Amino acid sequence: MKLFKTNNMSVPIGVAFVWFTTQFGGGFASGAQLFQYFIIFGIWTLITPILAQVISAVFQWYALKYAKVNDVYDYRSFNDSFYGKFSPIFSNLYELVYIFLLCLAPSVAFATGGSTMAELLGIPYLICTMIIGVFIFIIAVYGTDIVRKAASAISIIIILGLLIVYIPNIIAQWGEITKNIGNLAAQKAPIGPALWKSFLYAAFQLASIGLMVQHAKAFTSEKEAKTSMIYGVIINSGIIFISTLGLMAVVNMPGIQQESIPILTLVRNGVGSSFMTPMISILIVLGAISTAVNMIAGIVNRIVSKFEIEKPLNAKDRAKPSKLTIFTTAGFIILAFGIAQFGLLPLIKVGYGYLGYITIAVVIIPYIIHMIFSGLGKTKKIVKNL
């Protein structure tokens, strides 16, 4: 496998970073999501986060490969082709899933990012959410290539920040970590619930699979779909493992499972609290922005590809976003901003719990059927021939 010899390596790495920034939101940065889906299930937390990344990678690889082979790069065109004669049902169901996700993730991004920024800078929440909205607009409005480049830059910052926070604290609290791992290993921990929650986490993340397919257009061949997902597994598995391992230091502290930002407890009991606390706040804000950018860019690409007629443009005009792109991007940002400002967040939190189940029916099961009938590797329009 020529994984490290491909000439066009920046695109597969960029796509891997898009996956990372889509997954990495405020819940991941704070550590709360890691407790909810992995750590509370005992010793299996050393395995199940990585398993979730592998599951996600397999489905995303298949989608990216199909998109490249069949030349479909917005999620509606992709779904209409992929689901074949069943597309009137499943394309529209996925449309609802993505719209639900679009209301969910960017709105929570505004809320968590705005709250964190307000606490960090001491300025009003409303102004903070406006600042976040401007950042999201600037990145998302310039299209897929900019989103991918922004994802790469943000990912590097986030990864370095997480390593700066976790590595010293893992070293400083290694005795407590190994002690707690030993205690967890001695406790009864049924593997069934742990595997199911890991699968549900992967399913929830796959609700955003539609935003990934737009990035397949930049591949030189469908083989780069696999390369990008190998990089993605390495990046995501490495970071999620380090994060869960670090949180092992505080796993037995009273009330830790109810903490909204467990990583702060880790830092307070470790080293570097004075400068790591604001760093964590910055990571949460970056995670919120990156997730929102990717979600909004996906729906913008879908709408613009559907309604905008392509015409020859000079280099200067191609660099400018169209009016439709500007208004669509602004519209969805305002929608997410409004939800974050005027409520519905309790409903959104409940919605997170159900989105994974919906995605199992709309994405995972149909994809598995498609893989079986296509022999896993042949990604032409198999379903149309069923």
Side-chain angles (χ1 to χ4, degrees):
M1 183 187 300
K2 297 180 180 180
L3 181 58
F4 298 103
K5 298 180 181 179
T6 303
N7 293 329
N8 192 31
M9 210 71 269
S10 62
V11 173
I13 291 175
V15 174
F17 281 142
V18 169
W19 174 19
F20 175 77
T21 54
T22 301
Q23 179 178 190
F24 185 89
F28 193 132
S30 67
Q33 199 173 61
L34 302 181
F35 266 93
Q36 180 183 356
Y37 284 94
F38 305 114
I39 296 175
I40 62 172
F41 295 97
I43 193 63
W44 300 114
T45 190
L46 299 178
I47 301 172
T48 52
I50 298 173
L51 177 62
Q53 307 311 307
V54 174
I55 293 171
S56 295
V58 170
F59 286 90
Q60 289 176 151
W61 156 73
Y62 196 73
L64 288 165
K65 183 177 180 181
Y66 185 96
K68 187 64 181 179
V69 169
N70 294 282
D71 201 32
V72 282
Y73 303 116
D74 69 89
Y75 73 78
R76 182 67 193 208
S77 299
F78 173 89
N79 287 334
D80 286 345
S81 173
F82 185 87
Y83 291 118
K85 64 183 180 182
F86 302 106
S87 62
I89 298 173
F90 284 96
S91 286
N92 290 320
L93 283 175
Y94 185 79
E95 199 84 55
L96 294 175
V97 168
Y98 196 88
I99 290 172
F100 181 43
L101 180 65
L102 187 69
C103 292
L104 196 73
S107 300
V108 172
F110 268 109
T112 57
S115 298
T116 303
M117 185 180 288
E119 184 174 342
L120 179 65
L121 301 178
I123 58 179
Y125 170 80
L126 180 63
I127 295 176
C128 290
T129 51
M130 287 181 176
I131 293 172
I132 289 174
V134 170
F135 273 105
I136 294 170
F137 177 82
I138 291 172
I139 298 173
V141 78
Y142 281 98
T144 301
D145 290 340
I146 296 298
V147 169
R148 190 167 54 252
K149 291 175 182 177
S152 298
I154 293 173
S155 292
I156 292 170
I157 295 171
I158 290 173
I159 290 169
L160 288 175
L162 287 173
L163 293 177
I164 290 171
V165 171
Y166 277 109
I167 296 300
N169 279 285
I170 288 173
I171 294 172
Q173 302 181 68
W174 183 247
E176 192 67 21
I177 290 171
T178 54
K179 175 185 173 183
N180 289 337
I181 290 175
N183 291 336
L184 290 175
Q187 296 173 6
K188 185 178 180 181
I191 191 172
L195 290 176
W196 171 248
K197 203 68 172 182
S198 175
F199 177 74
L200 199 61
Y201 177 87
F204 166 75
Q205 297 296 333
L206 287 171
S208 62
I209 196 169
L211 70 84
M212 295 294 295
V213 298
Q214 62 185 308
H215 298 284
K217 189 173 185 178
F219 289 155
T220 57
S221 74
E222 68 272 13
K223 293 180 181 179
E224 290 189 342
K226 180 172 70 174
T227 304
S228 68
M229 289 300 99
I230 291 173
Y231 276 110
V233 168
I234 293 171
I235 294 166
N236 284 279
S237 296
I239 293 301
I240 203 168
F241 179 79
I242 289 172
S243 299
T244 51
L245 182 65
L247 291 170
M248 286 290 100
V250 296
V251 68
N252 289 324
M253 287 193 172
I256 188 65
Q257 295 182 21
Q258 287 73 45
E259 289 279 349
S260 58
I261 310 180
I263 192 175
L264 285 179
T265 303
L266 171 69
V267 170
R268 292 190 188 109
N269 287 274
V271 295
S273 177
S274 59
F275 75 92
M276 287 187 183
T277 299
M279 181 178 289
I280 291 164
S281 299
I282 293 171
L283 293 177
I284 293 173
V285 172
L286 286 175
I289 291 174
S290 64
T291 299
V293 164
N294 293 339
M295 299 295 177
I296 290 172
I299 189 72
V300 170
N301 185 60
R302 178 259 187 274
I303 292 174
V304 171
S305 298
K306 175 69 174 179
F307 294 105
E308 192 167 74
I309 299 174
E310 293 187 5
K311 56 184 179 180
L313 297 173
N314 58 42
K316 184 177 179 180
D317 289 336
R318 281 197 298 269
K320 296 179 181 179
S322 66
K323 290 182 180 179
L324 179 60
T325 300
I326 292 171
F327 285 118
T328 304
T329 306
F332 282 105
I333 289 175
I334 291 170
L335 173 64
F337 177 85
I339 294 174
Q341 296 295 328
F342 302 109
L344 297 183
L345 284 179
L347 293 177
I348 287 172
K349 290 179 182 178
V350 172
Y352 267 121
Y354 291 102
L355 189 57
Y357 293 100
I358 298 170
T359 308
I360 291 173
V362 178
V363 174
I364 290 181
I365 293 176
Y367 273 57
I368 291 174
I369 294 172
H370 198 288
M371 290 176 185
I372 292 171
F373 279 92
S374 71
L376 192 63
K378 299 175 183 178
T379 47
K380 285 291 184 181
K381 301 173 185 179
I382 302 299
V383 174
K384 284 193 172 183
N385 299 321
L386 294 182

